[in-house]
Amino acid sequence: MAQPTLLAIVNPLSGTASVQKKQQWIEFLLKIAVDAGFTPEARFTTHPGHATELATEAVRQGIRRVVIIGGDGTMNEAARALLNTQTALGIVPVGSGNGLARHLQLPLNPKKAIERAVQGRPVVIDSGRINEHAFFCTTGIGFDAHVAREFARQPIRGLPTYIRTTYRAFWNYQPATYEIDGKPQSLFSLTVANAGQFGNNAWIAPRANVADGLLDVCLLKPFPRSAVGLLAWRLFNKTLDQSNYLTLRPARSVVVKGAEPLLIHVDGEPLLLDTDMATVQVVPSSLLVIR
């Protein structure tokens, strides 16, 4: 009987580790995978969307385990090709935020994460969809998307760059008015969460459950600058849902309309829609993830 194949997809640009360091992780993964009874393969991504192409081909070939060594953007690219298939996603989180991996309490040490991705068992989780775009951690409009766009323009990734980018973006950002399910609201940001955090343990929806068939709609109202410190403290201490500035409700779907084409982020990657309206909905029990 032929051994099952395991495909590793590696983004050479994710995070701050060198390509040489990632090559060492690949060699470690290949050894662990062989010991676990797999026939392993490894591929580096070379262009945006390449992880989707590789994962799509893996499904076509009947490969049952695809392991991503990268960040949330690479994870999203691969996972969207694995939706509603029997191919499970393993995550080795080496990006800037690693939101889904942190929510799932996966190891952040690359070698330990590789062991888990190779040896762990698949579980079923929900995903989300904003118009035609799949997300697995969070999608957002407003300040979240503004920061995602500014961060994507930076030549160096990593947490320090993200903190600096967020700090600079805050002082020039102006809240906007959106229609949420037909009701106008002035908002600093709107986040729809499948998992509970953006990444780096910044918990926008502390009670989110990736397997409950629901999304958490998080509406952050405009707030005075004097409240920034407390809001940031709550964000990183899993108590933001206790703030009077945040309204949080579970939902299967939500419709958002703006005054112009919407700038959104999908798992931290910025995207300008060609419409002023977005429909966000949960896709229950749609992805196998190794835990």
Side-chain angles (χ1 to χ4, degrees):
M1 183 176 177
Q3 291 181 318
T5 301
L6 179 150
L7 174 65
I9 300 175
V10 188
N11 185 344
L13 302 179
S14 290
T16 57
S18 67
V19 174
Q20 290 77 13
K21 174 62 71 174
K22 289 171 182 171
Q23 187 62 52
Q24 293 175 13
W25 295 338
I26 291 172
E27 292 170 2
F28 179 76
L29 181 147
L30 295 177
K31 179 181 183 304
I32 293 293
V34 168
D35 292 345
F38 289 99
T39 299
E41 301 175 6
R43 297 283 302 275
F44 277 104
T45 59
T46 60
H47 54 269
H50 196 192
T52 303
E53 298 167 12
L54 293 172
T56 299
E57 180 62 17
V59 172
R60 191 190 68 79
Q61 294 178 1
I63 294 173
R64 292 300 182 91
R65 190 167 299 211
V66 171
V67 176
I68 294 300
I69 301 179
D72 287 330
T74 313
M75 177 278 299
N76 180 287
E77 283 194 10
R80 71 180 76 155
L82 307 184
L83 284 169
N84 301 305
T85 73
Q86 295 302 307
T87 302
L89 178 72
I91 303 173
V92 179
V94 297
S96 299
N98 308 312
L100 183 61
R102 289 176 185 270
H103 179 97
L104 295 173
Q105 298 182 325
L106 298 178
L108 298 179
N109 176 278
K111 288 191 173 181
K112 291 185 181 301
I114 287 168
E115 291 175 341
R116 180 75 63 84
V118 171
Q119 300 168 354
R121 295 182 178 275
V123 299
V124 181
I125 70 168
D126 305 328
S127 64
R129 185 166 293 276
I130 178 166
N131 291 3
E132 71 273 23
H133 306 285
F135 67 95
F136 305 89
C137 197
T138 63
T139 188
I141 298 166
F143 184 69
D144 304 354
H146 178 64
V147 170
R149 180 172 62 183
E150 294 304 305
F151 183 62
R153 293 171 172 169
Q154 304 306 311
I156 300 174
R157 308 286 278 186
L159 179 59
T161 301
Y162 189 82
I163 292 173
R164 288 194 298 270
T165 302
T166 302
Y167 179 80
R168 288 196 298 264
F170 172 76
W171 300 107
N172 298 316
Y173 178 76
Q174 295 296 322
T177 297
Y178 305 92
E179 288 185 15
I180 312 300
D181 289 335
K183 298 179 180 179
Q185 294 190 51
S186 177
L187 295 174
F188 183 79
S189 67
L190 181 151
T191 303
V192 184
N194 184 43
Q197 60 166 284
F198 298 122
N200 294 307
N201 289 323
W203 292 87
I204 183 66
R207 302 179 191 278
N209 183 333
V210 293
D212 62 356
L214 295 168
L215 300 170
D216 282 27
V217 180
C218 311
L219 307 175
L220 186 60
K221 295 180 288 188
F223 52 86
R225 291 183 175 181
S226 60
V228 171
L230 179 57
L231 287 172
W233 183 87
R234 287 193 179 281
L235 181 67
F236 287 96
N237 284 275
K238 299 182 75 170
T239 59
L240 190 60
D241 57 340
Q242 298 176 24
S243 171
N244 292 330
Y245 295 108
L246 183 74
T247 300
L248 193 156
R249 59 180 174 87
R252 291 185 173 85
S253 66
V254 61
V255 178
V256 184
K257 188 177 187 305
E260 58 188 12
L262 293 171
L263 174 67
I264 69 170
H265 79 83
V266 180
D267 289 333
E269 298 297 318
L271 179 65
L272 182 63
L273 299 180
D274 58 5
T275 174
D276 62 359
M277 183 173 292
T279 299
V280 191
Q281 55 193 339
V282 68
V283 186
S285 303
S286 50
L287 182 69
L288 288 171
V289 176
I290 304 298
R291 291 196 73 178

